[in-house]
Amino acid sequence: MSRLITRRNFLRSSAVMGSGLALAGCNQFDFLGSKENPVRQAMERANVLTYQAQRTLIGQQTLAREYAESEIRQGMKPNGSVEPTTPEYLFLKMQNFASYRLTIKGMVEREVSYSLDELRNMPARTQITRHDCVEGWSCIAKWTGTQLGPLLDEAGVKPGARYCVYHCFDNIQRTLSGDILYYTSSDLIDAYHPQTILSYGLNDQVLPVSNGAPVRLRIERALGYKQPKYLHTIELVDSLAPFGEGKGGYWEDTGYDWYGGI
Ligand SMILES: Nc1nc2c(c(=O)[nH]1)N[C@H]1C(S)=C(S)[C@@H](COP(=O)(O)O)O[C@H]1N2
Ligand SMILES: [Mo]
């Protein structure tokens, strides 16, 4: 049984204890979208608890397990957005991402940006890791990219910065009031983690569009929704409140755990 399930049970029991509600069946996650929902409020308190507990238990720079080539059993199952349709993205894709730039901005000494060629020419790291989606599936895949930490140092993170917000090109949801673009965030410990890479290669091939081309971040000790595809900007901030619903990510805004550690 994976640690993911254990943790999910932990979250569920914390939610039940915290709210004093008796929950039956497996429908209790269906209406978490509402902010008034007592289960969601309890889960948000549980987020803080699990974040602190996990940070204490696992230490700050523990490596995620890496696997052998022989353990790659399948391709990386594309999930969520697989074919972004925003004009910016379609334009970049049309010219094979020649004018793509990854920007690091916000609470930094100097805003920096890099082309795909520049990223590919930086020291590369390849790692075979397991991706766990909360929907209940996993894939073992080989990711190649460059570490985020040295680029953050190049930009010069200002002392007050606490989080990286990862902004993506894809319109994960289309509403009457416009597109909702995917985003997520991490603390600086995860951003500087040695296995946190700006990945442009998957299983020895150029990263395909369905898996986040041209660049997707890997945060290897976090769940699937913390692995932003179609990444274009990393913004250093001291608060997550200004973005989306203020919970630090597209899925986080609907009630998913912010830390999302495994
Ligand atoms: N930009 C963006 N990033 C995303 C998503 C998405 O829809 N858009 N889905 C997330 C989820 S829930 C998962 S499980 C993984 C899926 O990555 P894959 O398509 O490479 O398997 O990407 C994550 N990152
Ligand atoms: Mo996921």
Side-chain angles (χ1 to χ4, degrees):
M1 191 65 38
S2 80
R3 284 150 75 201
L4 169 59
I5 305 297
T6 313
R7 182 156 186 286
R8 206 182 271 165
N9 287 342
F10 172 62
L11 268 180
R12 186 173 301 163
S13 54
S14 320
V16 173
M17 283 187 311
S19 66
L21 275 186
L23 296 169
C26 41
N27 291 330
Q28 63 260 45
F29 290 102
D30 286 355
F31 36 78
L32 287 175
S34 152
K35 278 192 178 148
E36 285 67 49
N37 185 297
V39 179
R40 174 171 164 162
Q41 288 165 7
M43 273 182 85
E44 284 168 359
R45 286 196 295 276
N47 283 351
V48 177
L49 196 149
T50 50
Y51 175 74
Q52 285 162 356
Q54 289 210 18
R55 279 293 185 229
T56 313
L57 287 174
I58 66 180
Q60 301 209 327
Q61 297 295 334
T62 318
L63 294 184
R65 176 168 169 200
E66 293 191 17
Y67 294 78
E69 296 269 351
S70 58
E71 291 171 287
I72 304 174
R73 290 192 193 86
Q74 74 291 302
M76 182 72 195
K77 170 187 150 72
N79 196 45
S81 298
V82 292
E83 190 74 77
T85 57
T86 52
E88 296 88 338
Y89 189 79
L90 291 176
F91 176 74
L92 286 175
K93 193 174 73 165
M94 198 177 67
Q95 23 138 320
N96 207 17
F97 305 108
S99 62
Y100 169 83
R101 293 196 82 80
L102 176 89
T103 302
I104 302 180
K105 67 174 196 184
M107 296 178 69
V108 290
E109 301 298 339
R110 62 205 81 82
E111 187 171 313
V112 293
S113 82
Y114 306 96
S115 71
L116 200 47
D117 277 348
E118 285 171 328
L119 293 173
R120 286 179 177 145
N121 283 322
M122 290 174 188
R125 190 180 201 288
T126 292
Q127 56 205 30
I128 302 174
T129 52
R130 197 183 74 195
H131 174 108
D132 293 312
C133 174
V134 285
E135 291 168 1
W137 53 268
S138 303
C139 286
I140 293 176
K142 183 179 187 178
W143 301 97
T144 301
T146 194
Q147 287 177 325
L148 174 57
L151 302 190
L152 292 176
D153 283 342
E154 214 163 282
V157 175
K158 286 190 176 164
R162 293 179 61 200
Y163 310 102
C164 285
V165 178
Y166 305 106
H167 297 285
C168 305
F169 280 115
D170 57 311
N171 39 357
I172 175 89
Q173 202 183 320
R174 315 189 75 169
T175 71
L176 288 177
S177 43
D179 286 351
I180 298 181
L181 302 176
Y182 197 93
Y183 79 106
T184 187
S185 56
S186 77
D187 61 15
L188 295 180
I189 296 172
D190 273 342
Y192 274 100
H193 186 272
Q195 288 168 318
T196 296
I197 58 172
L198 293 156
S199 176
Y200 46 75
L202 170 60
N203 293 337
D204 296 317
Q205 308 289 322
V206 171
L207 182 68
V209 166
S210 57
N211 297 107
V215 172
R216 76 97 55 85
L217 192 70
R218 296 294 309 167
I219 301 181
E220 297 293 358
R221 295 172 310 171
L223 288 165
Y225 60 90
K226 304 295 280 185
Q227 319 293 330
K229 310 199 279 187
Y230 318 111
L231 180 63
H232 63 80
T233 300
I234 299 176
E235 187 173 353
L236 279 292
V237 299
D238 59 2
S239 162
L240 299 171
F243 308 96
E245 301 288 318
K247 304 293 183 203
Y250 171 76
W251 284 114
E252 293 86 336
D253 283 338
T254 73
Y256 282 29
D257 176 33
W258 172 75
Y259 178 46
I262 358 179

